[in-house]
C-alpha cells in the first residue's frame, strides 16, 4: 500500500546528510613511489560518495516500489493519493509500512553496509600494495 514511503523517507534524510557531509569533507590523497621511479597518487573514497551509494539504492528501490503500487492501483494521481486512506484502511497501511517498509529499508541499508565492508578491505589492500611497492625500492 505505502511501504515505499519508508525507504523514500530514509533516502531524503541520507540525501540531506550526504550534502552536508560533502560540504565539510576534505580530499585525502596519498603519494607513493613505485620501483620504476614513478610517483603515483591514490585517494580514498569519500564518505559522502559512499553515502551516495545508499541514496541511489534507496531512491531506485523506492521508485520501483512506487511504480509497482501505481501499476496495481494502490497509488492514484489525485488526493489522497493512497487508496488505503481513501477506503479507510489507514491502520492496515501503517501496519504494512511498519513491517514491510521498515524491513525493506533495513535490508537495503544492510546491503550498503556490506558494500562499505568490501570497499574498506579493497582500500586497505591497495594501501598495503602501495607500502610493499615502497619497500621494494
Amino acid at each position: 500500500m505505502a511501504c515505499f514511503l519508508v525507504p523514500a523517507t530514509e533516502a531524503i534524510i541520507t540525501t540531506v546528510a550526504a550534502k552536508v557531509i560533502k560540504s565539510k569533507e576534505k580530499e585525502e590523497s596519498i603519494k607513493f613511489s613505485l620501483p620504476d621511479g614513478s610517483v603515483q597518487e591514490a585517494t580514498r573514497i569519500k564518505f559522502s560518495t559512499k553515502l551516495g551509494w545508499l541514496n541511489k539504492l534507496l531512491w531506485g528501490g523506492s521508485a520501483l516500489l512506487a511504480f509497482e503500487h501505481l501499476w496495481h492501483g494502490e497509488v492514484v494521481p489525485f488526493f489522497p493519493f493512497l487508496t488505503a486512506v481513501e477506503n479507510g484502511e489507514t491502520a492496515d497501511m501503517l501496519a504494512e509500512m511498519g513491517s514491510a517498509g521498515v524491513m525493506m529499508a533495513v535490508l537495503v541499508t544492510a546491503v550498503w553496509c556490506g558494500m562499505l565492508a568490501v570497499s574498506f578491505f579493497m582500500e586497505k589492500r591497495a594501501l598495503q600494495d602501495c607500502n610493499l611497492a615502497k619497500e621494494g625500492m
Side-chain angles (χ1 to χ4, degrees), residues 20-65:
V20 169
I21 290 169
K22 187 175 185 173
S23 69
K24 296 180 180 182
E25 272 182 328
K26 296 176 184 170
E27 188 169 309
E28 296 178 37
S29 62
I30 301 167
K31 291 184 181 181
F32 58 93
S33 300
L34 295 176
D36 65 357
S38 64
V39 176
Q40 294 287 330
E41 185 174 351
T43 59
R44 289 184 165 260
I45 299 173
K46 296 180 186 178
F47 185 72
S48 62
T49 301
K50 293 176 182 178
L51 198 54
W53 300 343
L54 177 60
N55 289 336
K56 289 175 180 83
L57 289 170
L58 290 167
W59 281 118
S62 297
L64 185 62
L65 284 168

Side-chain angles (χ1 to χ4, degrees), residues 62-127:
S62 297
L64 185 62
L65 284 168
F67 176 74
E68 185 270 334
H69 286 300
L70 184 66
W71 185 269
H72 288 113
E74 297 170 346
V75 177
V76 290
F78 49 85
F79 189 79
F81 306 111
L82 301 168
T83 56
V85 174
E86 188 177 20
N87 297 337
E89 300 170 356
T90 307
D92 292 337
M93 178 191 71
L94 292 174
E96 181 187 343
M97 288 172 65
S99 60
V102 169
M103 284 309 297
M104 285 186 280
V106 167
L107 181 63
V108 168
T109 305
V111 168
W112 175 69
C113 288
M115 292 170 62
L116 290 181
V118 169
S119 170
F120 171 78
F121 287 115
M122 289 177 70
E123 286 180 334
K124 187 175 178 180
R125 175 177 266 179
L127 288 175

